[in-house]
Amino acid sequence: METTTKEPGKLAKNMGLLGIGLCALCCALPLIGIVGGAGILATVALYAERIAIVLLIISVASFAIWQYKKKQAPPVCSMDCDCKEGAELSSNSDLKKN
């Protein structure tokens, strides 16, 4: 088994090329990250816009239903029940309790 290479400078040349490649990759990673991040952000924004439109439609419909039901609801009485029929009866029954 032979442990030496046939060309003595081949190992140094391969290590040098490997070092240059790793250095280039190290310098390129921030640029790759920026481009990849911008692409991902654009994709998320596209879907978020669609989701926001759906949520806006749902909220407008819910508000319209709430307003409709609010107008259909009977009037709310104050604490002394002046708006109910027979308010005199309830005020007389309050006097009897005291």
Side-chain angles (χ1 to χ4, degrees):
M1 212 188 240
E2 191 174 320
T3 57
T4 60
T5 59
K6 294 182 181 173
E7 294 179 35
K10 188 174 183 181
L11 180 62
K13 181 180 176 184
N14 287 341
M15 288 296 177
L17 289 175
L18 181 65
I20 291 171
L22 288 175
C23 182
L25 180 65
C26 182
C27 292
L29 277 177
L31 298 175
I32 293 169
I34 290 170
V35 171
I40 291 170
L41 185 62
T43 304
V44 168
L46 179 68
Y47 289 116
E49 182 180 4
R50 292 178 183 167
I51 291 170
I53 291 171
V54 169
L55 290 176
L56 179 66
I57 292 170
I58 290 171
S59 64
V60 167
S62 298
F63 182 73
I65 291 169
W66 176 71
Q67 284 290 335
Y68 176 75
K69 286 186 176 184
K70 183 179 171 185
K71 288 183 181 179
Q72 299 298 323
V76 178
C77 297
S78 63
M79 292 302 286
D80 59 357
C81 296
D82 287 337
C83 64
K84 287 186 178 178
E85 294 178 11
E88 298 83 23
L89 295 175
S90 65
S91 64
N92 289 337
S93 65
D94 288 340
L95 292 174
K96 291 178 185 176
K97 288 179 185 177
N98 292 335

